[in-house]
Amino acid sequence: MQLEFYKYQGTGNDFVMIDNRTEFFPKENTKLIAQLCDRRFGIGGDGLILLENDLDTDFKMVYYNSDGNQSSMCGNGGRCLVAFAKKLSVIENETTFIATDGLHHATIGIDGLVSLQMIDVDTVKVSPDYVFLNTGSPHHVQLVDDLENYNIKENGAAIRYGDLYGKAGSNVNFVKQIDDTTFSLRTYERGVEDETLSCGTGATAVAIAMNVLGKTMETAINLNVEGGKLVVSFDKKEGQFTHVFLKGPAEFVFKGTIEI
């Protein structure tokens, strides 16, 4: 069977996109999904995303990590899926869609940047050495010295698989402050089990965590990720974060077919 796919990337976070509105794709075949995401034996991607019909919104997002397992929300993947939906003429420049963590609203600007509303955050766990919060996916946020030379894979895996988060694990973000409104981060993603060039829910988590820690008083924060730049904005009231938006590029790379 010939499978038609599209490749998208958002600040280096890359995804295999499939139009599954006819529900032809074998969704339970984790081995196939992992093979399609494999960079040597498949198409290559940090994840695979299906665009499906939904009765109440414009479309449904079904997200799989590169290990083939369905996973929690992916911010950059959501932004890329919005761009994909526009390419398929499912939407124009504004949309509401459903994902595993609920409803999402998004817009596409005249500059092509996609702004995606993330879930509200009302629980942030602050510990002496780290912050933990869920922005659609669980995230450990930790300030480190010498971020550029920090061993992300080794240290990230130690936290992800350590006793702190148990079997479920967590994504892990290491952060360096640049100025009052800008932070650099590198992320170890569970499911990929390696560093990725960008993580949207991670960038969102870092922005909120840095505000909670008092590292910034701003509510629009610039995030430097390995694959580019993102902006996270939010409203804050009595420790609750609402109207959380993740903004950045979502770019079509190529289209192709592969035999499955």
Side-chain angles (χ1 to χ4, degrees):
M1 170 181 161
Q2 288 286 321
L3 172 67
E4 181 179 84
F5 68 89
Y6 296 72
K7 185 74 176 288
Y8 274 77
Q9 65 89 12
T11 54
N13 213 182
D14 61 338
F15 308 96
V16 178
M17 299 284 191
I18 296 172
D19 179 0
N20 195 41
R21 286 176 290 173
T22 59
E23 299 186 5
F24 73 94
F25 188 79
K27 296 166 67 170
E28 306 307 314
N29 192 337
T30 57
K31 183 177 179 181
L32 170 64
I33 295 167
Q35 181 181 346
L36 292 173
C37 291
D38 192 289
R39 299 191 184 280
R40 293 176 178 83
F41 299 101
I43 301 162
D46 292 325
L48 181 144
I49 305 177
L50 304 177
L51 185 147
E52 298 186 343
N53 288 318
D54 182 67
L55 292 176
D56 301 317
T57 66
D58 293 325
F59 57 88
K60 179 181 180 180
M61 173 183 179
V62 183
Y63 175 68
Y64 298 86
N65 279 325
S66 61
D67 62 4
N69 292 305
Q70 195 167 340
S71 187
S72 49
M73 181 59 185
C74 175
N76 287 327
R79 294 189 309 97
C80 286
L81 190 63
V82 170
F84 181 42
K86 180 176 180 178
K87 188 175 185 66
L88 295 177
S89 298
V90 173
I91 64 167
E92 290 297 326
N93 294 314
E94 188 170 356
T95 184
T96 300
F97 68 92
I98 190 76
T100 184
D101 62 340
L103 286 172
H104 289 268
H105 178 73
T107 56
I108 304 174
I110 57 174
D111 53 6
L113 298 181
V114 178
S115 182
L116 173 67
Q117 186 170 14
M118 308 295 284
I119 64 169
D120 293 346
V121 175
D122 56 15
T123 302
V124 181
K125 177 184 176 182
V126 179
S127 297
D129 299 323
Y130 67 91
V131 175
F132 177 80
L133 64 162
N134 192 308
T135 53
S137 288
H139 281 278
H140 174 106
V141 177
Q142 182 174 320
L143 286 155
V144 298
D145 297 324
D146 195 18
L147 179 65
E148 294 80 5
N149 298 306
Y150 200 73
N151 191 326
I152 303 301
K153 185 171 183 178
E154 180 179 320
N155 291 295
I159 295 169
R160 184 258 193 266
Y161 287 106
D163 295 336
L164 191 59
Y165 298 113
K167 184 177 180 181
S170 175
N171 299 287
V172 184
N173 305 272
F174 299 103
V175 187
K176 175 183 177 181
Q177 183 163 9
I178 305 302
D179 57 37
D180 289 344
T181 63
T182 307
F183 297 84
S184 293
L185 69 141
R186 296 173 65 187
T187 301
Y188 178 95
E189 281 199 54
R190 64 172 188 172
V192 179
E193 307 311 336
D194 203 346
E195 180 179 7
T196 54
L197 293 179
S198 179
C199 176
T201 53
T204 305
V206 167
I208 293 174
M210 294 302 104
N211 182 280
V212 168
L213 291 177
K215 299 296 182 181
T216 179
M217 302 306 294
E218 299 298 321
T219 56
I221 298 169
N222 302 308
L223 288 311
N224 299 326
V225 297
E226 293 294 283
K229 297 180 184 297
L230 295 165
V231 177
V232 172
S233 61
F234 48 76
D235 293 336
K236 179 184 180 182
K237 184 177 181 181
E238 298 176 353
Q240 291 193 324
F241 296 84
T242 59
H243 300 100
V244 181
F245 281 89
L246 171 70
K247 183 178 181 181
E251 300 175 348
F252 170 68
V253 183
F254 64 87
K255 174 184 177 182
T257 58
I258 188 170
E259 185 73 27
I260 63 170

